[in-house]
Amino acid sequence: MAKKNAFYAQSGGVTAVINASAAGVIETARKRKDKIGKVYAGRNGILGALTEDLIDTSKESTAAIAGLRSTPSGAFGSCRYKLKSLEANRREYERLIEVFKAHNIGYFFYNGGGDSADTCYKISQLAEQSGYPIQAIHIPKTVDNDLPITDCCPGFGSVAKYVAVSTLEASLDVRSMCKTSTKVFILEVMGRHAGWIAAAGGLVVDHKIPVVILFPEVVFNEQKFIAAVDAKVKKFGYCTVVVSEGSHYEDGRFLAEQGTRDAFGHVQLGGAAPVVAAMIKEHLGYKFHWAVADYLQRSARHIASKTDVKQAYELGKAGVELALKGRNAVMPTIVRLSDSPYHYKIGVAELKDVANVEKFMPANFISKDGFGITERCKRYLTPLVQGEDYPAFKDGLPEYVTLKNVGVAKKLKAFKLL
């Protein structure tokens, strides 16, 4: 069979380790030049494929690609652009096939979360219908840790580590000042429907830190929440609250709802921390401070989890290996074998079982009062935040790679995005 080129793209919110997956894909493909020609990357994710704005990764040095492993965010640019169903917008899918044909692309590696898995699956279906063979492989990525089947998702372990460390350090600050100053610190973290990131704040309890966690999986009850915070302050002198952006009332309204939607059609969130702070002020009168981790949590490569970096690279590598074995419409996964010592293996899931499915916190991971985590949850989380994989530093700052991102000559007519 004649060699085919590969296409790789990054999708959705980027992470501290998504580039490690990119390195896994590109380095593995370079070792199999007998099967794979060039690896093209989409500039700004799937938009790069639709607009035929491709990047030739062969123009990058071996050292630059290796440097991706320790560089945060998306080296090729990402996007929030969800392709609709084949029936609703066939022209975009047909455009992708047209671009793939024009550039002899036979492998499609899409690095993202649930919406990306759905897009990848649809492309595999259309490729089959059109008679143009494309092996579509989804490389998992999401800080929310909400993809099904895989034990964990690359990006999550590093965010969990950042949130746990930040919760610990900020709590020690408050503890120092609580006698005459701030008594409650509120940290808002990501997590629209799943509370995995918020759960990481519970890892500090072994440091005798009083924490109240608000999960999307637990309906928010203002009266119970205020009582929990008050009890912690009266016992310890202070309290830290970790609130997921997806925390919501019984009727489904988010605490942080802004009345707008993002490019995927999701309700735009942001602002749960000040809402919670206002409640504490109104009912308890305690002095407080709040912060929103926002982009800081997902871009903090300087304190990335070593486990997370390793798994991100391995899943990128595994994606290429699956393609070379002839697999299609699949996603490499992490299969946990034991908690302590921590062991896992690389597995595989069918995209039909991954697309449009979210994984939530199990009930037995959340304490009975709904404001903390159980020992079982701690056993799950602890290996994922283990180890440090510091980037090289120069003059006090991390040395991160910026690629040349040389474009590929276009062969087709311009395509207008609707």
Side-chain angles (χ1 to χ4, degrees):
M1 185 178 75
K3 282 198 300 186
K4 293 283 188 177
N5 297 320
F7 175 83
Y8 166 83
Q10 299 172 324
S11 175
V14 293
T15 78
V17 301
I18 189 172
N19 285 334
S21 291
V25 168
I26 296 168
E27 289 183 342
T28 306
R30 285 185 174 186
K31 293 175 182 176
R32 293 303 309 269
K33 292 181 179 178
D34 59 319
K35 296 286 187 181
I36 301 176
K38 291 188 174 184
V39 177
Y40 296 132
R43 197 186 305 275
N44 300 319
I46 200 67
L47 294 181
L50 289 169
T51 61
E52 200 187 359
D53 193 356
L54 309 181
I55 293 167
D56 187 352
T57 68
S58 70
K59 302 295 184 183
E60 306 293 344
S61 68
T62 300
I65 297 302
L68 290 177
R69 186 167 177 147
S70 59
T71 298
S73 305
F76 306 104
S78 185
C79 69
R80 293 194 184 279
Y81 189 84
K82 183 173 182 178
L83 276 71
K84 298 176 183 177
S85 67
L86 288 170
E87 295 74 25
N89 201 353
R90 180 171 286 268
R91 68 183 286 272
E92 287 189 331
Y93 290 94
E94 290 177 344
R95 169 64 174 186
L96 292 175
I97 300 298
E98 183 183 26
V99 171
F100 293 160
K101 283 182 179 180
H103 294 275
N104 192 34
I105 292 169
Y107 305 100
F108 174 59
F109 301 105
Y110 206 20
N111 201 174
D115 288 315
S116 316
D118 180 58
T119 297
C120 199
Y121 182 50
K122 288 171 181 171
I123 288 173
S124 72
Q125 290 178 304
L126 182 61
E128 185 176 338
Q129 292 173 17
S130 67
Y132 181 76
I134 289 283
Q135 286 174 255
I137 310 292
H138 184 246
I139 311 296
K141 173 253 27 163
T142 172
V143 297
D144 290 335
N145 199 40
D146 59 358
L147 287 173
I149 303 175
T150 186
D151 177 73
C152 59
C153 304
F156 169 68
S158 293
V159 167
K161 190 180 185 79
Y162 177 89
V163 167
V165 170
S166 298
T167 301
L168 175 60
E169 293 177 340
S171 297
L172 294 178
D173 186 303
V174 176
R175 187 172 73 182
S176 302
M177 303 294 294
C178 67
K179 185 69 175 177
T180 58
S181 186
T182 302
K183 294 189 182 297
V184 181
F185 176 71
I186 303 121
L187 178 64
E188 179 179 335
V189 301
M190 291 178 173
R192 179 177 301 274
H193 298 130
W196 297 101
I197 298 176
L203 290 174
V204 305
V205 294
D206 289 341
H207 294 261
K208 311 299 183 185
I209 302 295
V211 177
V212 171
I213 304 172
L214 299 181
F215 302 96
E217 290 87 352
V218 179
V219 171
F220 179 73
N221 182 302
E222 185 172 348
Q223 186 177 359
K224 289 182 179 179
F225 166 67
I226 292 298
V229 171
D230 195 29
K232 297 284 188 187
V233 173
K234 286 177 177 173
K235 180 177 181 179
F236 297 94
Y238 73 104
C239 175
T240 293
V241 177
V242 180
V243 53
S244 170
E245 65 178 355
S247 297
H248 60 87
Y249 298 101
E250 190 171 11
D251 63 4
R253 285 182 301 116
F254 292 107
L255 273 66
E257 195 162 328
Q258 297 177 341
T260 56
R261 294 183 179 273
D262 65 18
F264 287 143
H266 303 145
V267 173
Q268 191 80 41
L269 303 182
V275 169
V276 167
M279 292 176 186
I280 291 170
K281 180 180 180 180
E282 177 186 354
H283 294 286
L284 302 175
Y286 293 139
K287 187 172 182 180
F288 61 83
H289 276 272
W290 59 266
V292 181
D294 202 52
Y295 283 13
L296 299 177
Q297 65 198 305
R298 75 183 198 197
S299 62
R301 181 59 185 81
H302 67 287
I303 197 170
S305 152
K306 188 172 184 177
T307 299
D308 195 27
V309 176
K310 182 173 182 285
Q311 291 180 343
Y313 184 91
E314 289 174 343
L315 289 172
K317 177 183 177 184
V320 177
E321 291 172 342
L322 285 169
L324 291 173
K325 290 177 181 176
R327 300 299 298 270
N328 190 20
V330 296
M331 179 185 81
T333 64
I334 299 295
V335 179
R336 184 179 297 224
L337 302 177
S338 66
D339 295 327
S340 182
Y342 179 54
H343 290 302
Y344 66 90
K345 67 179 181 179
I346 303 298
V348 61
E350 299 288 335
L351 283 185
K352 63 180 177 61
D353 300 324
V354 175
N356 300 311
V357 179
E358 287 183 289
K359 179 180 68 179
F360 305 108
M361 287 270 292
N364 59 13
F365 276 26
I366 300 173
S367 59
K368 289 184 179 180
D369 66 2
F371 295 124
I373 62 173
T374 62
E375 286 297 319
R376 190 166 189 165
C377 184
K378 284 170 60 179
R379 290 197 299 273
Y380 170 80
L381 291 172
T382 298
L384 305 184
V385 302
Q386 289 291 310
E388 290 68 52
D389 190 305
Y390 300 119
F393 279 74
K394 182 179 181 181
D395 297 329
L397 295 178
E399 284 193 282
Y400 294 140
V401 168
T402 298
L403 301 181
K404 293 181 289 186
N405 284 346
V406 177
V408 177
K410 295 187 178 183
K411 301 180 179 182
L412 303 170
K413 291 181 180 180
F415 181 82
K416 186 175 181 180
L417 298 172
L418 299 179

